[in-house]
Amino acid sequence: MEIHEGAAAAVGDGVLDFSRLSLSTFSTDGVSEERKRDTRQLYLNYNRLLALPSSVCLFCNLEFLDISNNGLSAICEGITRLSNLRTLVAKNNRLDEFSLPKEFGCLRLEVLNFSGNRFTEIPLQCTKLPRLQSLSLGGNRLKSIPAEIENLTSLELLYLGGNLITAIPPEVANLPYLSYLVLCDNRIQSVPPQLTRLHSLRSLSLHNNLLTYLPREILCLVHLHELSLRGNPLVVRFVKEMTYDPPSLLELAGRTVKSGNIQYYPGDMPSNLLRYLDLASKCPNPKCAGVYFDSCVRQIKFVDFCGKYRLPLMHYLCSPECTSPCSSNPPSDADSEDESSVPAARLQRVLLG
């Protein structure tokens, strides 16, 4: 279809809308040089484009580009010349990790939306966008999150819902401005305790995963307003069985030194033992002065959250004789509570917001 300037709806100054015109090619021959120079927003969504045409790069001052809902399988190298481009929306195409130009990471993008494509991994070019504030890759085929995600230090929103992700890497915790983390509809089985370092996090969406418990450190996310957990096999009873491997002689000796506050100096023992003693973890029970190294009791307890929600959190105790201090019920109630006495509504309301 031949393009001329009148075919586009001029929504406002600096805006050209070529959406829903059944375009299979895009030529700018009918667009004046002045119009190309003045265009800030370009809409090419809902057409039949199979590749991002190089003619897009003639809009030298472009800041916003929407190429969603086409049949795109490649993005041309010329896009890297759009030095003013801040937002790229390319939802619902056929893009994968081989579709991006090598220098894609040189763009100064702030918003990038690749949802509804065919990515099986997050392209490394996308982790080289230091100005990026919003990254959406929902509804793809991602199996993992690369450690390089920590390079996106300006990121505020990360949307990875509707993929095949099985784990959250601890590097996600190195995103200082992350406020919205969406990981729903994946295959995640656990949440790393390092996420407590996300001091800006306000919303965490984890519904429809394979979670059975949460780390107790999640209570430290003081700015968290929304926590979505529905559709997970979260435990509905306190776990009575405690897994416990008896401590080794080395650990017993280390516990004695630490619990008894026995003084020692660098010259008193080999350096490997000094490093081992530095690894001691304090038992969370305030009534227990014990420590542990490798041998500990893993126990799940329901804990009050925001006054009315119950979350199953994992606790690590120094021995089977030690009881968790974080249970919200007296010991007698905790021992008697089972599946039938936990109201279904209470567990269903583990969705905040």
Side-chain angles (χ1 to χ4, degrees):
M1 178 178 177
E2 183 181 356
I3 297 297
H4 55 87
E5 189 168 349
V11 178
D13 290 343
V15 179
L16 275 181
D17 187 354
F18 287 102
S19 63
R20 303 180 186 273
L21 294 177
S22 300
L23 301 178
S24 55
T25 60
F26 180 66
S27 171
T28 61
D29 292 344
V31 181
S32 68
E33 293 301 319
E34 181 182 6
R35 188 62 166 162
K36 293 174 188 175
R37 186 176 60 253
D38 293 341
T39 297
R40 299 293 187 269
Q41 299 182 29
L42 178 61
Y43 293 85
L44 290 170
N45 48 314
Y46 289 100
N47 281 296
R48 299 175 182 175
L49 302 173
L50 300 181
L52 180 65
S54 57
S55 55
V56 167
C57 306
L58 299 176
F59 296 89
C60 57
N61 293 313
L62 200 62
E63 299 174 0
F64 178 99
L65 175 61
D66 189 347
I67 50 176
S68 300
N69 298 91
N70 281 279
L72 295 174
S73 59
I75 292 180
C76 65
E77 186 78 32
I79 195 174
T80 59
R81 297 199 295 270
L82 296 175
S83 58
N84 292 320
L85 191 64
R86 297 294 180 266
T87 299
L88 175 61
V89 184
K91 301 182 296 182
N92 303 327
N93 283 290
R94 299 175 182 175
L95 301 171
D96 58 27
E97 53 271 23
F98 305 107
S99 301
L100 306 184
K102 184 178 179 181
E103 301 302 320
F104 186 82
C106 295
L107 287 167
R108 304 172 72 183
L109 289 174
E110 296 175 358
V111 177
L112 177 59
N113 192 330
F114 279 146
S115 293
N117 279 282
R118 299 180 177 181
F119 291 95
T120 59
E121 60 185 50
I122 298 178
L124 289 182
Q125 297 100 308
C126 294
T127 65
K128 298 178 180 179
L129 298 165
R131 295 171 177 263
L132 199 64
Q133 298 174 17
S134 174
L135 174 61
S136 299
L137 277 154
N140 279 276
R141 304 168 184 176
L142 303 177
K143 297 180 180 179
S144 62
I145 305 173
E148 290 81 359
I149 198 74
E150 67 180 357
N151 297 332
L152 301 177
T153 52
S154 299
L155 203 63
E156 298 177 10
L157 182 149
L158 179 59
Y159 190 106
L160 299 176
N163 282 286
L164 305 171
I165 298 169
T166 58
I168 307 172
E171 287 80 7
V172 171
N174 297 331
L175 301 173
Y177 300 108
L178 192 65
S179 300
Y180 301 92
L181 178 57
V182 182
L183 294 167
C184 57
D185 299 288
N186 278 285
R187 300 177 180 178
I188 298 168
Q189 300 183 38
S190 63
V191 176
Q194 289 89 345
L195 288 194
T196 19
R197 300 205 301 267
L198 293 174
H199 301 300
S200 300
L201 194 64
R202 298 174 61 85
S203 177
L204 176 59
S205 296
L206 291 167
H207 52 271
N208 298 330
N209 275 285
L210 301 175
L211 297 171
T212 55
Y213 67 89
L214 296 174
R216 64 190 180 94
E217 289 84 354
I218 201 169
L219 297 175
C220 298
L221 293 171
V222 294
H223 297 294
L224 191 66
H225 290 178
E226 297 177 354
L227 173 61
S228 177
L229 294 170
R230 67 180 184 274
N232 281 283
L234 292 167
V235 292
V236 295
R237 67 168 70 196
F238 293 105
V239 176
K240 301 294 195 299
E241 299 80 12
M242 295 183 178
T243 58
Y244 184 65
D245 294 324
S248 63
L249 290 176
L250 173 63
E251 174 152 351
L252 288 173
R255 289 187 179 197
T256 299
V257 171
K258 285 294 191 178
S259 300
N261 293 319
I262 299 175
Q263 290 188 347
Y264 57 90
Y265 301 96
D268 294 343
M269 62 187 76
S271 59
N272 63 313
L273 294 182
L274 289 171
R275 288 194 297 270
Y276 180 78
L277 290 172
D278 290 338
L279 298 176
S281 297
K282 188 176 181 180
C283 183
N285 188 345
K287 297 181 180 180
C288 174
V291 299
Y292 63 87
F293 293 85
D294 302 312
S295 178
C296 61
V297 175
R298 297 171 180 83
Q299 186 181 34
I300 293 175
K301 289 286 187 181
F302 279 103
V303 174
D304 284 340
F305 189 66
C306 293
K308 55 182 177 180
Y309 300 98
R310 306 294 302 290
L311 298 183
L313 305 182
M314 179 68 82
H315 302 284
Y316 298 90
L317 307 173
C318 65
S319 72
E321 290 75 28
C322 203
T323 58
S324 172
C326 298
S327 172
S328 59
N329 292 329
S332 59
D333 293 337
D335 293 339
S336 63
E337 184 168 11
D338 59 17
E339 188 172 322
S340 60
S341 63
V342 179
R346 187 172 66 183
L347 294 184
Q348 291 170 359
R349 295 282 316 257
V350 183
L351 168 65
L352 304 185

